[in-house]
Amino acid sequence: MNEKEKIEQEVGKKVKVKQTPVKKEKKEKIDYTVVKEFKKNLKEQKQQTKQYSKKILKGEIVSTTGATPNTDKYVIELVNVKKAYITGEVETPVLKGIDLSLEKGDFIVILGPSGSGKTTLLNVISGLDKVNSGDVFVLGYNLSLLKDVDLTKFRRDHVGFIFQQYNLLTNLTAKENAEVGENLSKSKEKDLTIQDIFKTIGMEEQMNKYPHQMSGGQQQRVSIARALAKNPDILFGDEPTGALDEEMGRKVLEILVDVNKKYKTTVIIVTHNPNIADIANTVIHVRNGLIDQIKRNDKPKRPSDIDWS
Ligand SMILES: Nc1ncnc2c1ncn2[C@@H]1O[C@H](COP(=O)(O)OP(=O)(O)OP(=O)(O)O)[C@@H](O)[C@H]1O
């Protein structure tokens, strides 16, 4: 029963209610030009991708900004990199024009507040995600103009990943899990042996164990073994110690430092823990979608010497 009917019941007769006109709410103005520009850029990028993707994968340097990468010195070079997400007609910028050069063989830590864009940056430089504009040169390949299928080839041949969750196959042993990485690698001649790798991660005795028979730290070490079996040029980690206790976390970091030193693999990790930055020789601070600060550290600490909490 509505208000009018309630009153009619109370007074016992029909009543007239004056209708007050309902004011229409003003609609929020949407800036369609921003979204239009965004979509136009994407269209151009798509056309260039079609034209250049194969050439880039064959080693041709293609730039959209006019910049030429210095591949002797740098493993990664970003030039005016922008990435945004579009929801409906609203654009949320996440990377807002990043310029960045990372040296070959460095141990790099990316720090920054929650939501600042660390994971997005890592995904972009590792070929897991694409930017909207700017150049992302990794080992000279401009990832911003690679087709999805060519990005997959790039990842398979050049980069290894370690995630917070170890993502091991439960029905395979530690050795077999590592071999999944090895089988994906094209250039067999530069492979290490699985035995070498298990020696590096300190798990030669556990090669035949299944994931459920291993601790979290051991599983994470196997995921490092799998990444190393590709003999990647760059090893990426998104919070690789995030699910581990202090002891296991330090152990995993020790291995990453050893891999960086022994195989000269560039290691790049994202972390919330600022103490972990002490083991890096380059520390990048991301803030609000931009690089706030880059610090060089000439005397990195061993993982056993850093504070943890
Ligand atoms: N697929 C998506 N769609 C829309 N917005 C997204 C998407 N992915 C990320 N974002 C937004 O982009 C911003 C940056 O996210 P990102 O995960 O890169 O931050 P982060 O620094 O790694 O954060 P955290 O430390 O909390 O993991 C956040 O505001 C997030 O909400």
Side-chain angles (χ1 to χ4, degrees):
M1 199 184 299
N2 62 28
E3 281 304 307
K4 186 173 166 272
E5 286 165 343
K6 270 189 209 163
I7 296 168
E8 282 172 349
Q9 229 183 27
E10 209 173 300
V11 298
K13 62 174 186 184
K14 291 262 177 212
V15 294
K16 265 191 178 171
V17 178
K18 203 178 155 197
Q19 295 283 345
T20 43
V22 183
K23 260 192 178 175
K24 270 193 186 169
E25 266 187 42
K26 259 193 181 172
K27 267 196 181 169
E28 219 178 283
K29 261 196 172 173
I30 293 168
D31 189 354
Y32 288 103
T33 52
V34 174
V35 179
K36 249 186 180 170
E37 189 68 19
F38 181 92
K39 289 186 176 164
K40 194 175 138 229
N41 281 348
L42 277 191
K43 206 171 161 190
E44 273 173 25
Q45 192 192 49
K46 214 172 170 185
Q47 282 165 351
Q48 289 181 320
T49 297
K50 224 174 174 183
Q51 188 175 356
Y52 294 116
S53 188
K54 285 273 166 293
K55 290 180 181 170
I56 292 171
L57 214 57
K58 279 184 186 152
E60 200 171 302
I61 303 288
V62 181
S63 167
T64 65
T65 60
T68 313
N70 177 352
T71 48
D72 290 334
K73 187 169 182 190
Y74 299 115
V75 65
I76 293 175
E77 284 178 80
L78 267 56
V79 189
N80 198 18
V81 161
K82 293 182 183 169
K83 176 155 186 77
Y85 292 100
I86 292 275
T87 318
E89 297 295 340
V90 180
E91 185 200 38
T92 313
V94 179
L95 303 180
K96 300 176 181 172
I98 291 193
D99 294 310
L100 181 66
S101 300
L102 300 175
E103 286 186 33
K104 260 186 188 167
D106 269 3
F107 194 111
I108 298 151
V109 163
I110 301 176
L111 285 179
S114 181
S116 57
K118 301 182 296 294
T119 294
T120 307
L121 179 63
L122 193 85
N123 289 349
V124 154
I125 59 180
S126 61
L128 281 176
D129 206 352
K130 276 183 75 168
V131 297
N132 305 129
S133 64
D135 290 323
V136 179
F137 294 112
V138 182
L139 305 159
Y141 303 104
N142 192 349
L143 304 191
S144 58
L145 294 182
L146 286 190
K147 280 184 197 167
D148 288 351
V149 61
D150 292 333
L151 265 182
T152 307
K153 281 184 194 154
F154 162 83
R155 290 196 302 267
R156 189 190 60 198
D157 293 343
H158 299 289
V159 299
F161 293 97
I162 311 155
F163 297 101
Q164 186 169 338
Q165 300 308 329
Y166 333 116
N167 300 338
L168 298 182
L169 296 166
T170 51
N171 56 344
L172 297 185
T173 64
K175 180 171 179 273
E176 289 164 345
N177 264 291
E179 283 169 349
V180 168
E182 184 191 43
N183 292 338
L184 290 172
S185 174
K186 198 174 69 179
S187 43
K188 291 283 176 208
E189 77 278 5
K190 67 172 188 176
D191 273 353
L192 305 154
T193 67
I194 291 287
Q195 197 81 30
D196 289 339
I197 291 169
F198 274 83
K199 202 167 165 191
T200 302
I201 63 163
M203 285 184 59
E204 273 176 303
E205 309 294 317
Q206 343 264 335
M207 281 169 77
N208 295 317
K209 280 193 176 170
Y210 287 89
H212 74 271
Q213 298 170 313
M214 293 183 268
S215 70
Q218 287 172 331
Q219 290 186 56
Q220 189 59 307
R221 280 143 73 187
V222 174
S223 88
I224 297 176
R226 180 181 56 198
L228 289 180
K230 295 166 78 178
N231 196 1
D233 299 293
I234 313 167
L235 193 54
F236 291 100
D238 195 352
E239 298 280 2
T241 59
L244 304 176
D245 63 22
E246 178 177 341
E247 192 193 339
M248 285 299 173
R250 285 185 199 274
K251 181 83 199 155
V252 162
L253 293 179
E254 287 285 356
I255 290 164
L256 293 178
V257 169
D258 286 347
V259 165
N260 171 252
K261 288 212 162 69
K262 200 166 159 187
Y263 307 126
K264 309 266 176 286
T265 311
T266 306
V267 177
I268 305 179
I269 59 175
V270 159
T271 175
H272 273 102
N273 185 348
N275 295 319
I276 293 178
D278 290 344
I279 67 171
N281 48 22
T282 301
V283 183
I284 299 168
H285 286 261
V286 181
R287 187 176 291 275
N288 198 15
L290 287 168
I291 305 296
D292 194 33
Q293 201 179 36
I294 300 182
K295 275 194 205 157
R296 292 285 305 177
N297 180 10
D298 292 332
K299 285 197 182 119
K301 287 184 184 171
R302 291 295 307 185
S304 51
D305 296 334
I306 61 171
D307 291 331
W308 195 259
S309 49

